[in-house]
């Protein structure tokens, strides 16, 4: 589904990603872990089409086409979804209005009809129940005045409504309370199927107890320095990252993801 | 792939859709202004003596004034001798009789503008007075309103049929001595709308005037006068467009509102005059004096404006709060793009006790647009317990535009309570990317963000017009991005 080859990215003249390779097949869940500032969000945003980064080398194909050529809205319309590490507030625009416009833009690109008000309401109700969203949140302006955890839950709610093929979740667990974490994980697990893939950026093993990944990658200083299965995340939880980086700049791979 | 910044620039440059010209035979006088022109206009309208005298006094006073230079706008000196002060479509000189007599070409013009004048096609519940260049060409639903004692007609007709009311109220809110453009308007005004709502009547439909400048080199100088008697309510709306021309055209209107005890006037404007081209050539100079007087206790005047057109907008719809417990409101959205400049805001003059005013201003600047909010809140000595709340937000789209805020406050009563909030934000790359990452085009993203920003103001408009204003904002922000 997604092939990232030797992706090199600069921001403000600084090299951030230095040759990232990643291969994600339909049905898989990949987790990306790594120290602060290692480039995880950069990777997530570049995949979603943020244009403030300069791509200096490498290529990305998504479902057989050159992803980097596409405008962000076209990526979204073809099924790429980014759950933001820092969701953005849009004052005065109601969450439902926003989401309906978004869903319709995606449906239109797929040659489908706009969703009717009734069907949309039904869909929203269903997903709200799934994520135990407070009724009031969805009529409020997008993310405005939401608590940190509410914003994160709203991202997953949007994802549940839009049903993307490739969902990239950037630290969706940070800021969620213990119960919310379970609810959100449950929301993700419900979406998991053989046609969809997930890239889950996280710092904590805790999330991966609920969303069990097929692969765990460690991103450090702009490179994936190790790939393993879910056991790697437990090891990282115990030992931190230093044993991977100390005196060992070579890229080590285990498993067969890369 | 264009960057967001490039897209934002494209979006800011969109074309004006009302720029066509209607070829109708016009009865125009040669350009230039002197006493004989004032007399000629008055004579063409067969006006009573008092009005001619008033015009002449205004003209004499105007001669002693010079053009104000304090607004934060920049334009070449206007040649007042180069302007045509009277132009009327032929055969319409003395105002409309019935729709059957209106030139079909004119009906077609209004249809093209989205304002059909045939009653069966009208927006349900909206009565329209159509002003074309210097004269009113049609007023709809007159009979229906007449049954309630409501007078809604062209200003010229009001002068003929209701001259006592005109004599009593004309200049009572905006005297001809008020300012340079008010004096000029008082001398040469040609038409406009007049509304009178009798005691206790709630006007059952929206009243609206649609202004269209068509002829070349013509100034539009109209006057609107609305009087709401005790306990009456009315909601009034004006809309404006003009053809695209390379020359600038002057629009210097005066609007006067009067509310008696417990009466309410809600006055909404959707202004979409031709803004000029990308280089700032052409466009309307919109120099307008609008003021309401809350004469009675518990009365209320509410201004809502959505200003998207004009090369230069210079206007401060104001409220004089004389009656105790009276309320003044000002809700404004001003969008400037290309080379447009706007210096707009309000004056709330608190005189009566426990008077309240509420000001919400939203300025949006795109392209090379310059947007200034200028507001005065004045609390007089006797205005015990007066309260004002002012909120003034600016949004910048792109990095070549500007937003400025000049709030002035004068408080002479220590029991007054004032609150002022202001913010300036840039339409964020973050917001754009967030919307786009959800599948929305850059265009839809900008218009959604802007309409959210203006929500508090747009929701003040009557329903049909809120939708229209929202559409107008997004049309004005639309570019070649798909
Ligand atoms: N637009 C930018 N301009 C300059 N530097 C940037 C920009 N974006 C990211 N960076 C830098 O790139 C590095 C990687 O940032 P990124 O946000 O991708 O890290 P991260 O792995 O997501 O970190 P965290 O775990 O803290 O979320 C950081 O050092 C950051 O400061
Ligand atoms: Mg991050």
């Amino acid at each position: 589904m997604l092939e990232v080859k030797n992706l090199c990215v600069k921001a403000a003249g600084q090299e951030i990603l230095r040759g990232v390779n990643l291969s994600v097949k339909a049905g898989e869940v990949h987790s990306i872990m790594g120290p602060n500032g290692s480039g995880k969000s950069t990777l997530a945003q570049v995949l979603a089409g943020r244009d403030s980064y300069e791509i200096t080398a490498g290529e990305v194909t998504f479902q057989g086409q050159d992803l980097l050529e596409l405008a962000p809205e076209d990526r979204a319309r073809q099924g790429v979804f980014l759950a933001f590490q820092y969701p953005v507030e849009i004052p005065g625009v109601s969450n439902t209005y926003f989401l309906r416009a978004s869903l319709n833009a995606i449906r239109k690109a797929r040659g489908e009809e706009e969703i009717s008000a009734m069907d949309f309401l039904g869909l929203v109700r269903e997903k709200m129940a799934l994520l135990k969203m407070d009724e009031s949140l969805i009529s409020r302006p997008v993310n405005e005045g939401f608590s940190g955890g509410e914003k994160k839950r709203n991202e997953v709610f949007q994802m549940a409504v839009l049903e993307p093929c490739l969902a990239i979740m950037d630290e969706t667990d940070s800021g969620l309370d213990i119960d919310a974490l379970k609810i959100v994980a449950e929301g993700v697990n419900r979406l998991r199927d053989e046609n969809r893939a997930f890239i889950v950026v996280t710092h904590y093993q805790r999330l991966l107890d609920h969303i069990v990944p097929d692969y765990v990658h460690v991103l450090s200083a702009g490179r994936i320095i190790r790939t393993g299965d879910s056991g790697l995340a437990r090891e990282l939880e115990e030992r931190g990252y230093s044993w991977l980086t100390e005196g060992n700049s070579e890229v080590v791979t285990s498993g067969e993801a890369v | 792939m264009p960057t967001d910044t490039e897209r934002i620039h494209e979006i800011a440059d969109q074309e004006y859709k009302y720029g066509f010209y209607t070829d109708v035979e016009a009865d125009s006088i040669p350009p230039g202004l002197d006493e004989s022109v004032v007399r000629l206009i008055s004579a063409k309208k067969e006006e009573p003596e008092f009005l001619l005298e008033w015009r002449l006094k205004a003209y004499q006073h105007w001669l002693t004034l010079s053009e104000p230079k304090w607004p934060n706008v920049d334009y070449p000196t206007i040649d007042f001798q180069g302007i045509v002060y009277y132009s009327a479509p032929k055969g319409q000189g003395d105002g409309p009789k019935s729709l059957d007599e209106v030139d079909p070409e004119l009906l077609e013009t209004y249809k093209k503008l989205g304002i059909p004048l045939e009653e069966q096609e009208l927006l349900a519940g909206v009565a329209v007075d159509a002003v074309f260049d210097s004269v009113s060409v049609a007023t709809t639903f007159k009979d229906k309103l007449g049954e309630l004692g409501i007078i809604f007609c062209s200003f010229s007709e009001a002068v003929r049929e209701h001259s006592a009311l005109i004599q009593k109220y004309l200049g009572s809110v905006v005297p001809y001595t008020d300012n340079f453009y008010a004096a000029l308007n008082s001398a040469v005004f040609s038409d406009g709308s007049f509304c009178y709502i009798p005691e206790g009547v709630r006007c059952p439909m929206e009243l609206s005037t649609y202004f269209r400048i068509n002829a070349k080199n013509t100034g539009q100088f109209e006057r609107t006068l609305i009087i709401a008697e005790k306990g009456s309510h009315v909601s009034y709306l004006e809309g404006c467009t003009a053809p695209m021309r390379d020359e600038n055209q002057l629009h210097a209107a005066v609007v006067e509102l009067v509310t008696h005890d417990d009466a309410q006037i809600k006055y909404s404007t959707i202004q979409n005059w031709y803004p000029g081209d990308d280089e700032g050539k052409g466009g309307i100079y919109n120099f307008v004096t609008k003021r309401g007087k809350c004469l009675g206790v518990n009365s209320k005047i509410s201004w809502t404006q959505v200003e998207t057109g004009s090369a230069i907008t210079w206007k401060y719809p104001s409220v004089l709060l004389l009656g105790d417990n009276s309320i003044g409101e000002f809700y404004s959205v001003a969008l400037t793009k290309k080379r447009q400049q706007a210096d707009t805001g309000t004056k709330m003059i608190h005189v009566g006790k426990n008077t309240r005013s509420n000001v919400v201003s939203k300025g949006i600047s795109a392209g090379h647009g310059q947007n200034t909010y200028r507001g005065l809140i004045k609390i007089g000595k006797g205005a015990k317990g007066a309260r004002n709340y002012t909120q003034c937000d600016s949004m910048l789209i792109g990095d070549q535009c500007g937003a400025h805020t000049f709030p002035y406050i004068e408080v002479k009563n220590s029991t007054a309570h004032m609150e002022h909030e202001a913010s300036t934000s840039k339409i964020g790359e973050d917001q754009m990317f967030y919307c786009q990452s959800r599948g929305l085009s850059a265009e839809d993203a900008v218009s959604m963000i802007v309409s959210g920003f203006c929500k508090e103001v747009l929701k003040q408009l009557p329903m049909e017009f809120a939708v229209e204003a929202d559409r107008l904002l997004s049309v004005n922000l639309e570019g070649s991005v798909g």
Side-chain angles (χ1 to χ4, degrees), chain A residues 36-37 39-42 85-86 170-171 201 203:
Chain A
N36 293 133
K40 303 181 296 296
S41 295
T42 304
Q85 181 174 6
Y86 304 107
D170 191 359
E171 292 198 30
V201 174
H203 285 295

